Amino acid sequence: MVVVRADAGEAAGLGWTYAPAAAAAVVTDLLAPVVRGGDPMDVPGLWTAMVRRVRNAGRTGVAGYAVSAVDVALWDLKARLLGVPLARLFGLARRSVPVYGSGGFTTYDDDVTTAQLAHWAHEQGIPRVKIKIGESAGAAPARDLHRVALARRVIGDAAELYVDANGGYGAKQAVRIERRMRDHDVRWFEEPVSSDDLAGLRLVRERADADVAAGEYGGDLVYFTRMCAAGAVDCLQIDATRCGGYTGWSGAAAIAAGHGLEVSAHCAPNLHAPVAAATPNLRHIEWFHDHVRIEGDLFDGAADPTGGAVRPPDAPGHGLSLRAEVAEPYRVA
């Protein structure tokens, strides 16, 4: 995690991304000089200046992650200066945001998988859960299908079951796997093939009962436009820690809406909650195991998903603050 703090007057905004530590150097060396001294009320203008600044460094990838963290910090700063919750600053489309439990890694044995899924579905009452499949780049389909069947038995018939292959299958293999998964009512098939294979995604989408989702690696609006225009997905995934922060998220969500698609937030659930609440075509946000743990450890004000939805905090900004006792060991740019 690379954390960015932006100060103006007596207020401070906080943003972050999940990226290599090199993103911190991009913030300090390239982005801080163009943001420092700017008007915190004019976040889109500062975002545009940052994007122009990293043109020769590569707009997507590490530089894009850095832009994302600063953009989130700037929006948080603006809301805190105005004394309003960030979701209110954006304008609410809903007061609570649906979540789905996400983890179920292929490295888990059956006991660990069972415990995690039971915690989400039965202890926290989250009615949607996701596991990973596509183990060893699609070389273990029997175990994939075993784990899907296990997940359905654990969560029962009422909860929705999602799977994420992380691009592990070829297109025809993904079609065959999806047919086998219909016995377990799988509703969401994430990255059945590489997200770079738009034709393959479309082929799977056209033949699948489950909704096909992808987009988490999108770094700019061109990426999302191509994916939506290709008819590759039923639901577009967006990650504000990668695509340019809240400003980039809003553009991607608008592209999806123009193609009649809903969007889903990829990872970083506490960061996404305010902007998700302000997005009319939102489906849900990913309550991702690793990021839930990290954000719960590092920040005060983390959300509670009990019941299957989270409410953005009523506090100014996104409502999170970096805990003093853990701030020192982490590099803050």
Side-chain angles (χ1 to χ4, degrees):
M1 177 186 278
V2 175
V3 179
V4 172
R5 175 173 156 166
D7 297 281
E10 297 183 357
L14 197 66
W16 67 95
T17 183
Y18 292 94
V26 176
V27 173
T28 56
D29 296 347
L30 297 180
L31 303 182
V34 301
V35 171
R36 189 175 291 117
D39 189 332
M41 297 295 108
D42 298 334
V43 180
L46 296 174
W47 184 89
T48 301
M50 289 192 290
V51 169
R52 288 173 177 164
R53 184 68 180 87
V54 299
R55 175 182 176 184
N56 291 330
R59 162 67 181 84
T60 60
V62 170
Y65 291 11
V67 169
S68 300
V70 177
D71 180 83
V72 170
L74 291 172
W75 279 109
D76 183 45
L77 172 63
K78 179 176 180 176
R80 291 175 191 262
L81 285 168
L82 296 173
V84 298
L86 191 51
R88 288 284 185 182
L89 179 63
F90 292 144
L92 287 174
R94 57 181 52 78
R95 296 189 179 276
S96 64
V97 181
V99 305
Y100 69 88
S102 173
F105 303 113
T106 59
T107 53
Y108 288 175
D109 63 23
D110 286 0
D111 290 341
V112 174
T113 300
T114 296
Q116 186 178 68
L117 295 175
H119 173 67
W120 289 327
H122 305 306
E123 296 174 20
Q124 292 189 311
I126 300 176
R128 310 159 205 91
V129 300
K130 185 176 81 179
I131 65 168
K132 301 285 189 179
I133 58 172
E135 181 179 349
S136 302
R143 184 165 188 265
D144 289 339
L145 292 169
H146 162 77
R147 297 181 68 255
V148 170
L150 171 69
R152 175 52 73 193
R153 289 196 302 272
V154 172
I155 67 175
D157 294 335
E160 295 183 11
L161 178 57
Y162 300 170
V163 298
D164 179 2
N166 282 120
Y169 300 127
K172 290 293 187 66
Q173 184 185 19
V175 169
R176 292 191 293 270
I177 291 289
E178 195 276 336
R179 287 174 181 163
R180 299 281 299 278
M181 293 191 298
R182 292 177 191 177
D183 292 340
H184 307 292
D185 193 22
V186 172
R187 303 288 184 87
W188 169 280
F189 197 178
E190 184 175 330
E191 286 195 321
V193 302
S194 168
S195 55
D196 293 329
D197 182 5
L198 298 181
L201 283 170
R202 179 168 181 166
L203 185 148
V204 178
R205 178 181 177 234
E206 289 175 341
R207 300 190 182 189
D209 284 351
D211 282 354
V212 169
E216 66 189 67
Y217 299 109
D220 59 21
L221 299 187
V222 174
Y223 180 104
F224 297 113
T225 300
R226 287 173 177 163
M227 181 166 281
C228 292
V233 295
D234 295 291
C235 184
L236 183 69
Q237 292 179 283
I238 313 174
D239 189 331
T241 74
R242 296 174 173 176
C243 72
Y246 293 139
T247 303
W249 165 285
S250 298
I255 290 168
H259 288 83
L261 297 175
E262 292 180 317
V263 301
S264 177
H266 172 261
C267 293
N270 288 285
L271 181 147
H272 281 118
V275 74
T279 303
N281 57 324
L282 180 89
R283 183 176 297 193
H284 42 42
I285 65 176
E286 181 176 15
W287 196 253
F288 180 56
H289 170 73
D290 285 355
H291 291 181
V292 168
R293 175 178 54 84
I294 293 168
E295 292 170 4
D297 285 346
L298 297 188
F299 298 117
D300 287 320
D304 179 2
T306 300
V310 296
R311 296 178 66 91
D314 288 331
H318 51 49
L320 278 76
S321 58
L322 195 64
R323 289 179 176 168
E325 67 270 22
V326 298
E328 186 60 29
Y330 293 86
R331 182 174 180 180
V332 178

